[in-house]
Amino acid sequence: MNLDKQYGANRQSVLLVDEHFTDNRNNWEVIDEPDEKSVVTGEGLYLENNTKHIWNYYKIPTSLCATDSFLFDVTFQVLKKKKAVDNRFGLLWGFSNEPKILNSFTADPSANRFCVETIIRRKAIYDQIDKGNIQPLSNPDVYRMLILKMDKRHYFFVNNIRGPVCRQHPIQHWHGSNFGIYIEPMVVLLVKHFSI
């Protein structure tokens, strides 16, 4: 994905995480239960959510804080989507180890849409910011999602779109330095690449 010059003007950058999941050196949570599976396969991080009503998340700590700029880039392969209210998956950032508030950028290929929102856990309150259509890659089962934060603004990209998929957002919620993956019930994913 080539970001336009206005987004690609890069200050000094450091690669914090460049995960291809050839091993579990970053200590991703590994679970093998009937309702939830997560395992590093060597080809990706395999995630399976077999619950009916509970979304799951997987996290990795970083050294980033609310004032830092970052480029968060993840490639997903959707292995299975079962009939459910939502078939969303995506990115989480700026949350604590026991999160109450999470920022999310998710895609729902079944509904051909994406969503940027702040999730308040254990409450039915969602601060919905924007929705829009996904432009799929030539292989409809592979999706690349990217968040670019410059100063206080967030820009969101899906697949090979040169410009952001929605207007820039000044997201104010930052409650920790964790970044991670979000997966709705009845979805099976292989996270192929995860970089910050």
Side-chain angles (χ1 to χ4, degrees), residues 40-58:
V40 175
T41 67
E43 294 181 19
L45 176 62
Y46 176 87
L47 302 175
E48 186 175 326
N49 185 346
N50 293 316
T51 65
K52 292 188 179 178
H53 304 291
I54 301 170
W55 53 268
N56 294 331
Y57 71 97
Y58 304 87

Side-chain angles (χ1 to χ4, degrees), residues 3-194:
L3 300 178
D4 291 337
K5 287 185 180 180
Q6 74 183 85
Y7 305 108
N10 205 341
R11 299 181 182 114
Q12 184 179 2
S13 62
V14 175
L15 193 58
L16 298 178
V17 179
D18 188 27
E19 177 70 83
H20 294 272
F21 304 102
T22 54
D23 55 37
N24 197 10
R25 73 183 76 192
N26 286 313
N27 298 315
W28 291 92
E29 185 176 17
V30 174
I31 299 170
D32 188 6
E33 297 177 2
D35 285 344
E36 177 184 9
K37 293 188 187 337
S38 65
V39 63
V40 175
T41 67
E43 294 181 19
L45 176 62
Y46 176 87
L47 302 175
E48 186 175 326
N49 185 346
N50 293 316
T51 65
K52 292 188 179 178
H53 304 291
I54 301 170
W55 53 268
N56 294 331
Y57 71 97
Y58 304 87
K59 66 180 172 22
I60 191 167
T62 72
S63 58
L64 295 173
C65 67
T67 58
D68 291 325
S69 295
F70 62 80
L71 183 65
F72 185 18
D73 187 358
V74 180
T75 302
F76 299 94
Q77 182 177 1
V78 180
L79 302 177
K80 192 182 290 185
K81 300 171 289 190
K82 301 173 184 173
K83 290 190 178 184
V85 174
D86 280 320
N87 283 140
R88 293 189 300 156
F89 59 87
L91 311 178
L92 300 170
W93 73 99
F95 62 97
S96 65
N97 285 337
E98 294 296 327
K100 293 181 182 173
I101 298 177
L102 300 98
N103 301 304
S104 74
F105 174 39
T106 58
D108 183 350
S110 299
N112 193 34
R113 68 184 173 106
F114 69 88
C115 189
V116 177
E117 62 190 344
T118 298
I119 303 169
I120 301 172
R121 293 195 69 206
R122 296 183 179 89
K123 293 184 181 180
I125 299 170
Y126 296 90
D127 179 16
Q128 192 106 349
I129 298 172
D130 212 344
K131 289 184 182 179
N133 289 328
I134 296 171
Q135 300 296 322
L137 290 171
S138 59
N139 179 353
D141 294 328
V142 175
Y143 295 87
R144 184 175 179 197
M145 300 178 73
L146 189 141
I147 301 169
L148 172 63
K149 179 181 178 270
M150 293 190 319
D151 301 318
K152 295 179 181 178
R153 296 301 221 178
H154 291 74
Y155 303 87
F156 303 92
F157 301 83
V158 177
N159 296 335
N160 291 324
I161 296 174
R162 289 185 155 265
V165 291
C166 60
R167 60 187 168 77
Q168 61 187 0
H169 296 291
I171 293 177
Q172 302 300 323
H173 304 287
W174 189 277
H175 297 277
S177 60
N178 288 320
F179 281 61
I181 303 298
Y182 174 96
I183 181 172
E184 283 281 349
M186 311 306 281
V187 176
V188 180
L189 294 175
L190 190 64
V191 184
K192 305 286 280 181
H193 181 238
F194 182 105

